[in-house]
């Protein structure tokens, strides 16, 4: 359909596609590091207040207010403070942070510098997904430029404030996207999530106060300081400031990464000419996962909803990491859930019994249903297993140390809630009504 979605002023992606956009010279030609200049003229507490007033919320999944998170760091701690950047982008359906690192890494680095000055941090670690070799090289090159220009190092743009920044690549574990598992990995340990409290803001990296922020979150900070919190807040909704990046994939004509307003609906994202440009010929929308594979699925009649934290919460789902996955009317929902469940079973760290035992149990039940070997009682058993890992609704009542248990259980709950008739059809017909799956066997355990 023609463009009907409200035009959005690009904040994060404004320079993408421009020549040498990842270099310091290009970034400075666009006003880069102006936000840091302003920040260095302010008191640290005033910077935190500015971020609070902007209504910037974390872009890594939970959507927690960024300024509030910063304010939890104790000001009088005798221990050093750390900033850890979460670039372990491993959520299925999510691929936005790598575009920031490839196209405009200095935007994130300026955010790091502002956050570090505001928090009294002198050491930052940029933790990237292990597979991000190219992105790590480009980020390191930008860091080298920042040191050479006197932005990082013993002084910060002439200010007597030292900041060192290091790139660390993980080993490819999804669990290390959870902030405390990330900290364990940074310390050279197995990436097992920690019990909370204490929270990282008080006891984090090396037992010291630590803020963990997502790549996109920090890249959003420089425009706030450069143009003001009020400007940024007005770009969004009442409780969610600014714009955000969404990753559109699945059954659409033009998948990709798009910067959208918080008011943009899922329907507009799929069908508008400036975004997804509709469905393939002859296909209709059947379901959409709105925030990465861990977000509860929505049916086709629930898509006139804004891609915004509070609006999606009202639908008992979440904006999550911005991964919008579209499924058409030829999609088998049992097969899709089986694929999602297998991912979480494989990525579970095994620390918590409900997740360690429950996630492979889900995959075995789903395989049984998909292959036509199940009974109706197996569908109820699947629901019971998911509830033992994490009840639903509401979101966030899981029985595990970290949210991977929730991530594994929420898709099961929501698929069964909205598409139970398909599960029952598999049992009645003793087969998958949609034909053989194209991937072959997953092995006996799955």
């Amino acid at each position: 359909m023609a463009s009907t979605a409200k035009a959005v002023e690009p904040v994060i992606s404004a320079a993408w596609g421009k020549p040498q956009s990842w270099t310091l010279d290009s970034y400075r030609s666009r006003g880069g590091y102006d936000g840091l200049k302003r920040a260095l003229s302010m008191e640290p507490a005033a910077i935190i207040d500015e971020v609070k007033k902007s209504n910037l919320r974390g872009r890594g999944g939970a959507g927690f207010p960024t300024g509030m998170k910063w304010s939890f760091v104790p000001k009088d701690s005798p221990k050093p403070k750390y900033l850890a950047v979460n670039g372990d982008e491993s959520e299925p359906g999510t691929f936005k942070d790598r575009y920031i690192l490839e196209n405009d890494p200095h935007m994130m680095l300026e955010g790091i510098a502002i956050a570090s000055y505001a928090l009294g941090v002198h050491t930052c670690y940029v933790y990237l997904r292990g597979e991000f070799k190219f992105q790590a090289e480009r980020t390191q090159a930008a860091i080298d430029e920042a040191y050479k220009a006197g932005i990082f190092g013993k002084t910060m743009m002439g200010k007597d404030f030292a900041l060192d920044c290091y790139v660390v690549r993980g080993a490819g574990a999804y669990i290390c996207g959870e902030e405390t598992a990330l900290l364990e990995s940074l310390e050279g340990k197995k990436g097992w999530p920690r019990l909370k409290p204490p929270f990282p803001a008080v006891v984090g990296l090396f037992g010291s106060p630590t803020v963990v922020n997502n790549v996109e979150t920090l890249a959003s900070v420089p425009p706030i300081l450069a143009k003001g919190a009020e400007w940024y807040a007005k770009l969004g909704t009442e409780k969610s400031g600014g714009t955000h990046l969404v990753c559109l994939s699945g059954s659409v004509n033009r998948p990709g990464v798009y910067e959208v307003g918080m008011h943009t609906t899922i329907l507009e994202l799929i069908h508008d000419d400036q975004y997804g440009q509709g469905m393939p010929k002859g296909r209709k929308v059947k379901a959409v996962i709105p925030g990465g594979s861990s977000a509860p699925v929505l049916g086709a009649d629930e898509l006139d909803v804004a891609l915004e934290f509070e609006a999606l919460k009202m639908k008992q789902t979440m904006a999550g990491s911005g991964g919008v996955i579209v499924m058409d009317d030829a999609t088998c929902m049992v097969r899709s859930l089986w694929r999602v469940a297998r991912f979480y079973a494989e990525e579970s760290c095994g620390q918590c019994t409900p997740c360690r035992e429950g996630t492979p149990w889900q995959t075995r039940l789903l395989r049984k249903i998909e292959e036509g070997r199940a009974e109706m009682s197996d569908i109820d058993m699947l629901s019971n297993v998911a509830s033992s890992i994490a009840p639903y609704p509401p979101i966030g009542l899981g029985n595990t140390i970290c949210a991977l248990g929730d991530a594994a259980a929420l898709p099961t709950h929501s698929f069964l809630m909205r598409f139970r008739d398909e599960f029952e059809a598999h049992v009645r017909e003793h087969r998958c009504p949609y034909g053989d799956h194209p991937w072959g066997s997953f092995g006996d355990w799955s």
Side-chain angles (χ1 to χ4, degrees):
M1 69 180 185
S3 293
T4 58
K6 183 179 177 182
V8 174
E9 178 183 357
V11 176
I12 302 295
S13 61
W16 293 6
K18 293 184 178 180
Q20 302 292 303
S21 63
W22 54 89
T23 64
L24 179 59
D25 287 344
S26 172
Y27 188 60
R28 279 187 153 164
S29 72
R30 298 178 264 117
Y33 291 103
D34 286 351
L36 178 58
K37 287 180 184 177
R38 183 187 171 214
L40 293 175
S41 69
M42 301 167 64
E43 291 296 320
I47 299 172
I48 295 174
D49 285 341
E50 189 84 351
V51 175
K52 282 183 179 179
K53 292 174 185 176
S54 74
N55 291 331
L56 173 64
R57 297 175 65 165
R59 303 296 196 245
F64 195 82
T66 303
M68 186 179 296
K69 191 174 192 178
W70 290 5
S71 69
F72 292 156
V73 176
K75 298 177 178 60
D76 55 353
S77 174
K79 297 181 178 181
K81 301 170 186 175
Y82 295 98
L83 175 64
V85 183
N86 190 343
D88 191 71
E89 188 176 45
S90 303
E91 178 76 6
T94 310
F95 41 91
K96 60 185 176 62
D97 289 344
R98 70 195 68 185
Y99 278 81
I100 297 173
L101 300 172
E102 291 173 15
N103 292 284
D104 212 353
H106 279 283
M107 200 169 197
M108 178 193 69
L109 297 186
E110 185 178 5
I112 287 171
I114 294 169
S116 297
Y117 180 69
L119 297 166
V121 166
H122 297 287
T123 305
C124 171
Y125 295 95
V126 182
Y127 187 96
L128 301 182
R129 179 177 173 177
E131 293 87 347
F132 282 5
K133 183 176 185 294
F134 172 69
Q135 292 84 355
E137 291 172 348
R138 183 151 284 181
T139 301
Q140 185 60 60
I143 291 172
D144 293 343
E145 288 184 310
Y147 270 102
K148 189 174 181 180
I151 298 165
F152 292 166
K154 295 181 179 180
T155 61
M156 183 180 285
M157 298 181 75
K159 187 86 169 183
D160 186 18
F161 186 89
L163 177 62
D164 286 311
C165 186
Y166 305 95
V167 173
V168 179
R169 286 171 61 196
Y174 170 83
I175 193 66
C176 289
E178 194 276 335
E179 63 178 9
T180 62
L182 183 154
L183 297 179
E184 289 285 295
S185 180
L186 276 174
E187 292 178 1
K189 303 172 187 174
K190 182 186 293 185
W192 272 16
R194 302 173 180 174
L195 282 167
K196 295 182 286 188
F199 292 93
V202 179
V203 181
L205 190 62
F206 308 122
S208 299
T210 304
V211 166
V212 183
N213 280 145
N214 167 264
V215 169
E216 185 188 349
T217 307
L218 287 167
S220 302
V221 171
I224 294 171
L225 270 293
K227 297 186 178 182
E230 185 177 349
W231 164 81
Y232 189 82
K234 285 183 177 178
L235 290 176
T237 58
E238 181 182 358
K239 294 184 178 180
S240 302
T243 61
H244 68 138
L245 299 176
V246 295
C247 316
L248 181 62
S249 63
S251 188
V252 290
N253 285 323
R254 194 173 71 159
V257 178
Y258 299 103
E259 186 166 2
V260 303
M262 295 292 181
H263 49 265
T264 305
T265 68
I266 296 176
L267 281 177
E268 288 172 334
L269 180 69
I270 294 171
H271 295 290
D272 198 273
D273 280 353
Q274 61 184 314
Y275 304 129
Q277 298 183 355
M279 305 288 290
K281 187 175 181 180
R283 299 266 66 92
K284 296 179 180 178
V285 179
K286 182 176 189 177
V288 171
I289 297 174
S293 64
S294 58
V297 69
L298 294 174
D301 59 344
E302 301 177 281
L303 305 182
D304 191 17
V305 58
L307 285 158
E308 184 267 331
F309 301 99
E310 300 302 321
L312 288 169
K313 185 178 179 180
M314 294 295 291
K315 295 281 188 180
Q316 298 180 355
T317 186
M318 53 192 180
S321 56
V324 180
I325 304 169
V326 182
M327 291 172 275
D328 63 30
D329 52 359
T331 302
C332 172
M333 302 308 286
V334 175
R335 189 181 305 162
S336 298
L337 179 59
W338 178 23
R339 186 67 186 86
V340 170
R342 180 178 180 252
F343 171 82
Y344 290 110
E346 189 166 298
E347 293 295 339
S348 171
C349 75
Q351 185 176 189
C352 304
T353 301
C355 191
R356 181 183 65 249
E357 302 298 325
T359 53
W361 195 349
Q362 285 192 141
T363 63
R364 289 192 296 269
L365 286 167
L366 285 163
R367 179 177 184 175
K368 192 176 179 183
I369 296 168
E370 169 65 11
E371 293 180 349
R373 299 182 287 107
E375 300 175 359
M376 288 297 178
S377 60
D378 289 313
I379 300 176
D380 294 328
M381 177 65 75
L382 178 61
S383 178
N384 290 337
V385 171
S387 294
S388 297
I389 302 171
Y392 170 80
I395 295 171
L397 296 179
N399 297 318
T400 52
I401 290 174
C402 84
L404 191 144
D406 299 72
L410 293 177
T412 299
H413 284 302
S414 61
F415 273 66
L416 285 173
M417 182 184 297
R418 292 174 170 89
F419 300 99
R420 188 181 177 99
D421 57 327
E422 283 199 25
F423 289 78
E424 293 178 351
H426 280 69
V427 174
R428 284 194 307 270
E429 298 179 26
H430 301 291
R431 66 183 183 90
C432 174
Y434 293 85
D436 295 334
H437 60 77
W439 320 304
S441 174
F442 283 154
D444 291 342
W445 72 274
S446 61

